Amino acid sequence: MNFKMFVSSGDSVPCFTGFTLIMPAVSVGNVGQLAVDLLVSTLNMPRVGYFHTDCLLPVAGSNPYATSPDDDAQLCTSADVYSHTDLKLAVLQIRSPIIQNKVKLFRKQVVSWMKSCGFLRSVLLSSSHAYQRDDQQLHGTPLRYLLSPCLEKKEGQVLEDLDWREMERVSAFPGISDSEHCTEDLPLAVVLIFCSEGDNIPDAFALISHLNNWLHLLDKPAQGSVQWRVPPSWRLLFGSGIPPLLF
Amino acid sequence: MATFFGEVLSVYSRAVEEDEYDDQCDENEEDQQILRELEEKRSVDVQWLLKSVTGPMPCSDLIIATGPNATGFLSACVLGSGGWRPIAWFCLWNERSRGTERPSKAPAPGEPSCMLYQQETQPTVLICQCQCYLAEDQLFQWTEKVFSCVQSRDLTVTLLSDCAVSEYKSSEYLSDSSVPFLRCLKTDKHSKPQLCPALEPPNICTGAAAAVLSHCQVHQISAVLFLGYTEGLHTDSRSMGMYAAPLSSLLKV
């Protein structure tokens, strides 16, 4: 297996020891990826490297988080890694689907990278189909969490105090399977939202705000909620403008 | 999960379809052998036409073309005018590109192929013309193979590719007269002035062009993509003509 999936974009290899990793699962409505977009955009996180692997479909584009004409030329790839040193935060953004038959390999690559980096904990932002909720799950919040056994010992009480709801143990999750992270003994949390395909922007806001209640990445104002910055690449999410000839 | 009629169904995954082959834990030796053979069959290989070449070639400029208009332009205006010799081809097999899997014989003119050409007057200028279908799972490997043929030191890559204008997202309405048009996308190492507007987000490029650009970005190679947005299903001279400007400084076309 190729262990050099991570390629640094700078001259030195960044050190992630003690960092928290946040990554999306490519899942229903791409909510995890949208939530990660909000985080990178709001915290203005610089890119520190790429996750260069043959398991993802290649895509390339201009900088999706550009704030000025100077930085819009920076090329983004299918999986980029961003970092915020002060917050000890690393983010892996995945922008394309995983190639069929390579899900298992990709999972192994991510897990081996996570282990080699020495992350304090990893958070997988995910989403599940709303229609699969059972009667009990239909009540109350659509947000759920799951902790791997070793993170359960450290953070389980914190999340219980926050009044978070643990996922009912009925299913497997996209991205990283239940069994894998448990057997690897990784400190991993899955935070997910039940939703349907469509305009998933509100779901992304809900998921990232929920995560912020735990990790306190951004200060919450006394009144209202955190002002997340929508990246410019979210424009035209539903296609081009309307042709004037229609009217 | 119980259905309305009371049958109990096992719920496998909540959100995405897990791979059929991927999560079979009880794969036996025979299954694994078949999967290995399938993977082997889909591998991409370089076949050199020059006996003297054994390793990566010195290269200052590599021009890679994918898509009917971009490859058509190279055939009509660059390779057709002479002064280029084929030096290698890439043999690969997939569902839509069976003809290129013949390691013993180079593809005949007109057959789907992916060929590497060298300029006779300037041997460090190479062209990779890809006229065959590359499957999704072969893009990464194909890119690695192309770059294994050339030395990456002081290399500049120029990519030409096509895209349907229906894929282009813009808040402004595109009139018929504005199509075809060209957009560019470059790696951070590329510092030459732009000849056309940059590809505006949220537009992205995919396929072979994206695989090559990502490779160049990650390996810090100077590369620029000229992406032609065209309307027709077939090649036309107006769409092909767009690529003349980006190559004019390089090849005098």
Side-chain angles (χ1 to χ4, degrees):
Chain A
M1 193 168 70
N2 181 10
F3 281 92
K4 288 186 180 168
M5 292 83 46
F6 178 79
V7 183
S8 171
S9 57
D11 297 328
S12 58
V13 179
C15 173
F16 292 127
T17 312
F19 274 49
T20 298
L21 171 73
I22 295 174
M23 63 172 285
V26 183
S27 183
V28 187
N30 305 94
V31 177
Q33 292 153 294
L34 290 170
V36 163
D37 259 354
L38 283 175
L39 192 61
V40 174
S41 174
T42 309
L43 291 172
N44 212 2
M45 296 171 79
R47 179 177 59 197
V48 292
Y50 320 92
F51 203 79
H52 192 54
T53 166
D54 61 344
C55 299
L56 294 171
L57 279 181
V59 293
S62 306
N63 183 6
Y65 312 114
T67 48
S68 66
D70 304 330
D71 61 357
D72 68 351
Q74 193 190 58
L75 191 84
C76 73
T77 71
S78 45
D80 288 340
V81 179
Y82 298 82
S83 165
H84 195 296
T85 317
D86 294 345
L87 290 171
K88 289 205 148 204
L89 182 71
V91 169
L92 167 66
Q93 175 63 301
I94 302 170
R95 300 199 170 88
S96 64
I98 302 162
I99 289 176
Q100 216 185 357
N101 300 341
K102 291 201 172 174
V103 174
K104 198 173 180 177
L105 180 62
F106 184 65
R107 196 154 63 204
K108 283 191 172 156
Q109 288 179 350
V110 172
V111 167
S112 79
W113 176 64
M114 279 156 73
K115 284 173 90 172
S116 68
C117 287
F119 290 116
L120 179 73
R121 63 192 162 196
S122 304
V123 182
L124 185 77
L125 296 177
S126 187
S127 46
S128 289
H129 282 298
Y131 65 74
Q132 284 182 330
R133 280 199 282 185
D134 60 22
D135 289 354
Q136 184 199 352
Q137 289 170 329
L138 277 170
H139 292 289
T141 173
L143 294 146
R144 294 288 187 281
Y145 77 91
L146 260 178
L147 297 175
S148 63
C150 68
L151 196 61
E152 175 87 54
K153 281 179 223 151
K154 277 195 279 182
E155 300 275 357
Q157 194 55 46
V158 178
L159 296 185
E160 257 176 49
D161 295 345
L162 279 170
D163 221 9
W164 279 28
R165 271 176 81 170
E166 193 173 9
M167 182 67 183
E168 297 78 5
R169 300 255 168 181
V170 287
S171 64
F173 291 92
I176 289 181
S177 76
D178 228 1
S179 54
E180 187 114 23
H181 70 250
C182 291
T183 51
E184 295 281 354
D185 200 29
L186 275 170
L188 181 99
V190 179
V191 182
L192 69 94
I193 185 166
F194 287 110
C195 62
S196 303
E197 297 272 0
D199 181 357
N200 297 97
I201 288 173
D203 301 316
F205 276 102
L207 188 62
I208 198 69
S209 299
H210 187 61
L211 181 73
N212 194 49
N213 290 340
W214 170 29
L215 298 180
H216 305 292
L217 302 168
L218 271 111
D219 290 331
K220 205 172 169 182
Q223 284 186 332
S225 52
V226 176
Q227 289 301 305
W228 300 99
R229 197 179 80 88
V230 172
S233 54
W234 282 19
R235 281 171 57 239
L236 310 174
L237 207 59
F238 296 99
S240 298
I242 300 161
L245 290 174
L246 275 179
F247 306 105
Chain B
M1 185 173 74
T3 69
F4 179 76
F5 298 104
E7 299 132 294
V8 177
L9 304 172
S10 63
V11 179
Y12 192 60
S13 164
R14 286 194 159 261
V16 292
E17 299 293 325
E18 290 281 327
D19 284 346
E20 256 180 61
Y21 304 108
D22 223 41
D23 283 86
Q24 288 173 348
C25 299
D26 52 348
E27 272 172 13
N28 61 33
E29 191 61 33
E30 199 184 343
D31 289 344
Q32 283 180 357
Q33 177 71 18
I34 292 168
L35 288 174
R36 257 201 307 274
E37 280 172 15
L38 271 177
E39 201 170 307
E40 227 164 76
K41 199 176 178 185
R42 299 180 75 84
S43 69
V44 182
D45 282 310
V46 194
Q47 300 291 331
W48 291 96
L49 292 163
L50 300 174
K51 291 270 184 297
S52 54
V53 178
T54 49
M57 300 187 68
C59 185
S60 60
D61 283 283
L62 173 65
I63 299 159
I64 301 175
T66 63
N69 282 304
T71 54
F73 168 76
L74 283 188
S75 293
C77 303
V78 181
L79 298 167
S81 57
W84 295 87
R85 60 174 169 196
I87 53 166
W89 88 94
F90 298 89
C91 67
L92 57 98
W93 180 94
N94 58 52
E95 291 71 18
R96 281 168 61 181
S97 195
R98 291 159 195 260
T100 43
E101 191 230 4
R102 281 187 312 192
S104 56
K105 197 169 157 237
E111 273 188 338
S113 63
C114 182
M115 302 284 294
L116 197 62
Y117 298 90
Q118 185 181 39
Q119 195 173 28
E120 281 166 1
T121 49
Q122 265 183 291
T124 59
V125 179
L126 302 179
I127 282 180
C128 176
Q129 191 188 31
C130 185
Q131 290 177 302
C132 62
Y133 171 76
L134 297 167
E136 286 174 346
D137 59 323
Q138 291 175 320
L139 290 169
F140 191 91
Q141 202 193 2
W142 172 79
T143 310
E144 301 254 296
K145 290 284 173 184
V146 170
F147 281 90
S148 73
C149 298
V150 296
Q151 289 173 10
S152 58
R153 204 164 156 260
D154 298 326
L155 171 69
T156 300
V157 178
T158 307
L159 269 158
L160 309 177
S161 191
D162 299 351
C163 195
V165 76
S166 54
E167 307 257 312
Y168 185 76
K169 287 181 185 171
S170 163
S171 52
E172 280 154 36
Y173 177 66
L174 289 170
S175 65
D176 289 346
S177 59
S178 56
V179 184
F181 59 91
L182 212 54
R183 289 288 181 270
C184 75
L185 201 56
K186 60 186 193 67
T187 61
D188 296 354
K189 273 274 165 191
H190 190 87
S191 54
K192 287 182 190 157
Q194 292 181 3
L195 291 164
C196 65
L199 185 68
E200 310 90 340
N203 293 293
I204 50 163
C205 81
T206 55
V212 173
L213 265 187
S214 302
H215 178 97
C216 293
Q217 173 72 16
V218 167
H219 293 94
Q220 305 197 349
I221 297 169
S222 167
V224 60
L225 161 72
F226 293 98
L227 191 59
Y229 281 93
T230 58
E231 208 157 43
L233 287 170
H234 305 287
T235 52
D236 62 280
S237 55
R238 209 167 140 232
S239 303
M240 286 200 271
M242 287 190 301
Y243 300 106
L247 289 190
S248 60
S249 58
L250 198 64
L251 297 173
K252 299 189 184 73
V253 285

